[in-house]
């Protein structure tokens, strides 16, 4: 079975539906918005999967711990965990970003994923293993002057993922990450001034064709199915021209580093 956070729209929603289509028979869904959860639950159930859907703030230790425990009781231990919930500072952009908003971004984007990995690894280690996919971003790969807080959290997710590459093999647990570019999802509509999209994003979006959530879900399924992937960070960049394919690359993995560390 599978567990997905940030499942109420966009990448999380599409991934949940695709997993159900591919035969995953039970899926636990978490999101901060009830309306999005209800929609995803309907789509997933239509594909024949049993669904557990709960409103969860992944940055809240009690809420995310309760959700994982409820999932295990109702559906069993997840074989697939997609830590996907995330947010962004948006407007007012850096350095005017409110301290409260920056705290929320760090809590959701980083602590939420850390919690999901920590609890998930503990569960999976007792139940034969599994695969964890963390949603990072191409913002992790370089400066993002408009929102360095977001970029910093996503860089940390990449480091976290690669840090798990060699240490969990004995438990049959694989931790990977997907790094999407700019994706056409409701996430973009929630980043600023009420315009669609927000004014600060318009110069960026005007330069590149957008990715679709389906293209990112395809990459996530690739990481789930590839039994050799551990610590893999799949970068899915925007096409160079409208209608073109996404550009997929893998970041250099950390396996050689861990072989060195573990042999010392």
């Amino acid at each position: 079975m599978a567990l997905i956070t940030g499942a109420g729209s966009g990448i999380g929603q599409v991934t949940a539906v695709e997993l159900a289509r591919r035969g995953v028979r039970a899926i636990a869904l978490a999101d901060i918005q009830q309306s999005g959860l209800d929609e995803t639950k309907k789509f997933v159930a239509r594909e024949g999967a049993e669904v557990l859907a709960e409103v969860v703030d992944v940055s809240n230790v009690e809420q995310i711990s309760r959700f994982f425990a409820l999932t295990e009781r109702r559906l069993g231990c997840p074989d697939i965990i997609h830590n996907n919930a995330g947010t962004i500072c948006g407007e007012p952009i850096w350095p005017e970003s409110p301290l409260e908003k920056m705290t929320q971004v760090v809590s959701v984007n980083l602590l939420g994923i850390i919690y999901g990995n920590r609890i998930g690894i503990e569960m999976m280690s007792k139940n034969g293993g599994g695969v964890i996919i963390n949603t990072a971003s191409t913002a992790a790969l370089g400066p993002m002057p408009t929102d360095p807080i977001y970029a910093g959290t996503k860089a940390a997710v990449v480091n976290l993922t690669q840090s798990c590459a060699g240490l969990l093999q004995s438990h049959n647990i694989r931790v990977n990450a997907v790094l999407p570019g700019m994706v056409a999802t409701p996430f973009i509509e929630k980043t600023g001034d009420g315009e669609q999209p927000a004014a600060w994003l318009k110069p960026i979006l005007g330069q590149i064709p957008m990715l679709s959530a389906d293209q990112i879900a395809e990459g996530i399924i690739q990481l789930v199915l590839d039994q050799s992937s551990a610590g893999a960070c799949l970068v899915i960049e925007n096409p160079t021209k409208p209608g073109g394919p996404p550009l997929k690359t893998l970041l250099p993995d950390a396996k050689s580093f861990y072989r060195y560390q573990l042999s010392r």
Side-chain angles (χ1 to χ4, degrees), residues 19-221:
L19 287 171
R21 284 177 182 156
R22 289 173 175 260
V24 175
R25 293 299 86 196
I27 302 180
L29 309 170
D31 199 274
I32 200 70
Q33 297 291 340
Q34 182 71 60
S35 58
L37 270 178
D38 292 342
E39 184 179 65
T40 306
K41 181 178 180 179
K42 179 178 66 176
F43 293 157
V44 172
R46 193 178 292 164
E47 299 298 329
E50 182 180 358
V51 186
L52 169 67
E54 295 287 320
V55 173
V56 178
D57 176 356
V58 298
S59 69
N60 184 296
V61 172
E62 291 184 358
Q63 289 188 31
I64 192 170
S65 298
R66 190 183 308 121
F67 175 62
F68 271 77
L70 180 63
T71 297
E72 189 172 33
R73 286 199 306 273
R74 296 269 188 89
L75 304 179
C77 178
D79 307 294
I80 302 165
I81 294 173
H82 182 199
N83 292 307
N84 176 66
T87 188
I88 195 166
C89 287
E91 293 190 344
I93 62 172
W94 177 263
E96 283 78 32
S97 308
L99 295 176
E100 295 80 7
K101 185 61 178 178
M102 290 191 292
T103 299
Q104 181 190 33
V105 170
V106 173
S107 297
V108 173
N109 290 8
L110 183 52
L111 288 178
I113 285 187
I114 289 172
Y115 298 156
N117 278 263
R118 171 64 179 81
I119 303 168
I121 288 167
E122 182 177 12
M123 277 189 178
M124 287 178 169
S125 65
K126 298 182 293 187
N127 290 276
V131 59
I132 297 173
I133 309 295
N134 299 318
T135 298
S137 167
T138 54
L141 305 179
M144 186 179 179
T146 52
D147 200 338
I149 309 306
Y150 176 81
T153 61
K154 295 304 184 178
V157 170
V158 169
N159 198 308
L160 171 71
T161 299
Q162 292 187 323
S163 295
C164 293
L167 302 179
L168 299 173
Q169 291 179 347
S170 61
H171 298 288
N172 193 33
I173 298 172
R174 298 182 292 114
V175 181
N176 300 306
V178 62
L179 285 68
M182 296 296 294
V183 186
T185 72
F187 181 80
I188 289 177
E189 300 171 5
K190 302 173 183 177
T191 61
D193 53 13
E195 294 186 35
Q196 306 302 328
W200 72 277
L201 274 172
K202 286 180 181 177
I204 303 172
L205 302 182
Q207 297 175 16
I208 55 174
M210 297 290 280
L211 292 161
S212 70
D214 299 84
Q215 290 171 320
I216 309 307
E218 180 184 334
I220 291 165
I221 299 299

